[in-house]
Amino acid sequence: MLPLFDLHSDTLSSSYENGYSLFDSSLQASLCKSKKFSPYIQITAIWTNNTLSDCEGYKRYLDIYKFAKAQGITFTTLAKNLSDFSLILSIEDARIIGDSLSRLESMYLNGVRVITPMWEGVNQIGGAWNTDIGLSNFGKRSISKMIELGITVDLSHASQRAFYDILLICAESKKIPIASHSNSYFVCPHKRNLSKSQACDLIKMNSIIGISLAPEHLNNSSNADINDILRHIDYYLSLGAQNSLCLGCDFDGVSSLPREINDISDLDKLYLSIEKRFGKKICDKIFFENAYTFTVKNILD
């Protein structure tokens, strides 16, 4: 069986919205569909629709957390005890904390170990990829609080200015952020993707970068395939990312997937393509080892 560590999915949120079981559903990912991968570790996000108010979003986060617990889900805090699957909880768009840093403390106690501070536009923390706005003063305090608690900051979705504001705070705290699902701007010039300098800065910090399967971030269209994924991998490897590169598939956070990949069960096809092009050692690093090594050292207790 193949090991798999995926840095980002929205399956938990999508399962809640549709009333589906996390174990078996028609979504792009489920625990049943992942059976060919062992160990399987998933960072699973609670994403908040930006049509909701901050308070409504926070209530929805609590409802989704209860939804997962009702299905017997335990969010991992000890990566040393690998089972067939392990789920690590993350938050995508931290605006749901409102103006209260105490909510971050509650999230940590619930098992949240990764937070993407912004998603789109501007929130009270700062600007996302489609803005040129950095962190607010409250945002700087929020990032510092996340780091103090032991929550890893996810730079995916951040504006260039917010990216470097966060990087500075992390450097001062000697903590390493991640980019859980961010492709290369050089290969595909989409504003959600990382510039060469951003990618190089993360690599120098010994961070990790997850390759997203969102077609529009692979080739700026809705018609991508495995070769497009390989192009992003090739470019990141040319920058020296052999120990940083991971998968951040974004299952159930994207409306479509690259050809040949219908759902998580088809990732073995991607494994074979990466192995053929770059060799088994690099392939195993991308599929599991890089994310696992980083997580044990920097994310989990």
Side-chain angles (χ1 to χ4, degrees):
M1 296 182 77
L2 298 176
L4 173 64
F5 194 133
D6 179 32
L7 296 180
H8 185 83
S9 84
D10 287 292
T11 303
L12 175 55
S13 297
S14 294
S15 295
Y16 170 79
E17 291 291 348
N18 291 282
Y20 291 153
S21 164
L22 287 166
F23 291 87
D24 192 12
S25 74
S26 59
L27 295 176
Q28 294 168 355
S30 69
L31 295 174
C32 183
K33 289 177 181 176
S34 70
K35 286 298 183 183
K36 66 177 66 173
F37 305 103
S38 182
Y40 167 46
I41 303 177
Q42 179 70 63
I43 298 182
T44 186
I46 294 179
W47 169 77
T48 300
N49 190 312
N50 58 8
T51 62
L52 299 177
S53 70
D54 297 348
C55 287
E56 290 170 335
Y58 185 70
K59 181 183 181 301
R60 179 178 176 276
Y61 148 74
L62 292 174
D63 288 343
I64 295 176
Y65 176 77
K66 293 173 184 175
F67 166 80
K69 299 299 285 185
Q71 295 187 53
I73 297 297
T74 299
F75 295 109
T76 301
T77 56
L78 289 174
K80 295 177 183 177
N81 298 326
L82 286 177
S83 58
D84 287 341
F85 70 89
S86 301
L87 298 180
I88 300 169
L89 186 59
S90 72
I91 298 294
E92 189 171 27
D93 197 345
R95 67 181 182 81
I96 63 174
I97 68 172
D99 59 1
S100 174
L101 296 183
S102 65
R103 285 185 179 177
L104 289 173
E105 298 176 359
S106 297
M107 289 174 176
Y108 181 83
L109 292 175
N110 283 345
V112 173
R113 293 296 179 268
V114 179
I115 289 182
T116 310
M118 58 283 295
W119 180 71
E120 187 175 81
V122 181
N123 63 21
Q124 70 273 46
I125 294 170
W129 59 274
N130 57 338
T131 78
D132 61 356
I133 296 173
L135 292 181
S136 66
N137 288 331
F138 176 76
K140 292 174 183 178
R141 295 197 302 273
S142 298
I143 299 300
S144 294
K145 185 64 175 180
M146 292 175 199
I147 292 171
E148 176 191 325
L149 288 167
I151 296 173
T152 295
V153 182
D154 182 1
L155 295 164
S156 293
H157 287 277
S159 70
Q160 287 256 350
R161 286 182 60 191
F163 179 100
Y164 282 106
D165 285 345
I166 293 171
L167 216 62
L168 179 60
I169 296 172
C170 288
E172 290 173 346
S173 304
K174 297 183 180 179
K175 298 296 182 181
I176 306 174
I178 67 173
S180 69
H181 54 305
S182 294
N183 295 340
S184 165
Y185 187 89
F186 180 86
V187 178
C188 173
H190 190 291
K191 286 187 176 181
R192 259 284 282 111
N193 290 342
L194 297 176
S195 68
K196 178 181 178 180
S197 61
Q198 287 177 309
C200 286
D201 286 338
L202 290 173
I203 293 166
K204 288 175 185 175
M205 294 180 74
N206 297 314
S207 180
I208 50 176
I209 302 169
I211 294 289
S212 166
L213 300 188
E216 63 270 27
H217 301 157
L218 287 168
N219 69 7
N220 233 344
S221 79
S222 59
N223 189 25
D225 59 24
I226 285 179
N227 287 323
D228 292 299
I229 301 171
L230 298 181
R231 278 191 280 272
H232 286 269
I233 292 173
D234 192 25
Y235 180 73
Y236 277 141
L237 290 175
S238 76
L239 300 180
Q242 61 271 14
N243 295 320
S244 296
L245 201 53
C246 308
L247 297 179
C249 297
D250 206 1
F251 285 123
D252 299 304
V254 294
S255 58
S256 64
L257 292 166
R259 295 194 306 275
E260 305 114 314
I261 301 177
N262 296 308
D263 56 42
I264 193 172
S265 68
D266 287 327
L267 285 183
D268 56 344
K269 299 175 185 176
L270 178 59
Y271 182 95
L272 292 173
S273 295
I274 296 174
E275 182 183 31
K276 182 177 180 181
R277 177 78 174 271
F278 303 105
K280 188 176 189 306
K281 183 176 180 180
I282 291 294
C283 189
D284 287 341
K285 282 176 174 283
I286 293 171
F287 255 69
F288 187 83
E289 292 172 8
N290 287 340
Y292 181 72
T293 299
F294 181 91
T295 300
V296 170
K297 185 176 181 181
N298 298 284
I299 296 180
L300 296 184
D301 300 330

